[in-house]
Amino acid sequence: MAEYDKNEISGGCVMRVLVAEDDEASGKFLSKLLSRYGEVVLTKDGIEAVDQFVKSVSEKKEFDLVCLDIMMPKIDGYKALQSIRDAERKLGIPRISRCKAIMISALDEDFDASYVSSDYDDYICKPIDIMKFDGIIRKLGLLEH
């Protein structure tokens, strides 16, 4: 996890989450859902997400989790994640310390299962099932309990 002031909160540890979602309602939903676990930074497109990610590393406030909508304007979630992973490599962040990434798709068929990559850690389809999403976060080791 990122190195910064980790205060304990009810139900888990504080983490920093970057959400890239161009749909306002979905962005608000994800922000509210993830704010239970810590600080959420919401961006409206892939370029803004990459910029926020690089800024966070330069400020020593790295994100623990990045949630990227696949279909976004300017650059899609896959390209945004590729840019984030490239930035991690260029900044010398070891693979074991890189942020976890969850891809988010509007429909099952929108998720490109042929996109075989180790760049993302999991994916979830909309509408987001809160229990399933919580399970993914726990599976990724982002919560202590």
Side-chain angles (χ1 to χ4, degrees), residues 46-64:
I47 291 173
E48 190 179 334
V50 174
D51 290 345
Q52 281 293 323
F53 181 84
V54 172
K55 178 182 174 189
S56 75
V57 173
S58 70
E59 293 175 350
K60 303 288 187 218
K61 292 184 174 183
E62 294 91 351
F63 289 102
D64 302 295

Side-chain angles (χ1 to χ4, degrees), residues 70 78 108-118 120 123:
I70 292 173
Y78 293 125
D108 278 333
E109 52 268 13
D110 284 346
F111 183 76
D112 186 357
S114 66
Y115 183 79
V116 179
S117 171
S118 61
Y120 62 87
Y123 73 94

Side-chain angles (χ1 to χ4, degrees), residues 77-88:
Y78 293 125
K79 290 178 184 159
L81 182 58
Q82 183 179 20
S83 295
I84 286 169
R85 295 302 189 214
D86 288 346
E88 285 175 324

Side-chain angles (χ1 to χ4, degrees), residues 23-145:
D23 178 72
E24 189 175 343
S26 294
K28 286 181 180 179
F29 172 79
L30 284 166
S31 290
K32 185 171 182 162
L33 173 66
L34 293 166
S35 67
R36 300 182 294 167
Y37 306 116
E39 178 186 355
V40 177
V41 175
L42 179 62
T43 62
K44 300 204 181 302
D45 63 56
I47 291 173
E48 190 179 334
V50 174
D51 290 345
Q52 281 293 323
F53 181 84
V54 172
K55 178 182 174 189
S56 75
V57 173
S58 70
E59 293 175 350
K60 303 288 187 218
K61 292 184 174 183
E62 294 91 351
F63 289 102
D64 302 295
L65 175 64
V66 175
C67 298
L68 300 166
D69 184 26
I70 292 173
M71 294 175 43
M72 290 187 290
K74 299 183 182 175
I75 64 172
D76 66 25
Y78 293 125
K79 290 178 184 159
L81 182 58
Q82 183 179 20
S83 295
I84 286 169
R85 295 302 189 214
D86 288 346
E88 285 175 324
R89 282 187 285 276
K90 287 177 185 171
L91 295 166
I93 298 171
R95 186 176 179 89
I96 195 164
S97 299
R98 71 184 192 177
C99 67
K100 302 294 184 187
I102 298 174
M103 303 304 289
I104 301 170
S105 176
L107 300 169
D108 278 333
E109 52 268 13
D110 284 346
F111 183 76
D112 186 357
S114 66
Y115 183 79
V116 179
S117 171
S118 61
D119 282 349
Y120 62 87
D121 297 286
D122 215 324
Y123 73 94
I124 192 163
C125 295
K126 297 176 191 175
I128 293 175
D129 178 309
I130 295 171
M131 297 297 286
K132 183 176 180 181
F133 198 81
D134 190 61
I136 290 170
I137 291 172
R138 291 179 190 284
K139 181 181 82 174
L140 295 176
L142 293 170
L143 298 179
E144 292 177 356
H145 355 192

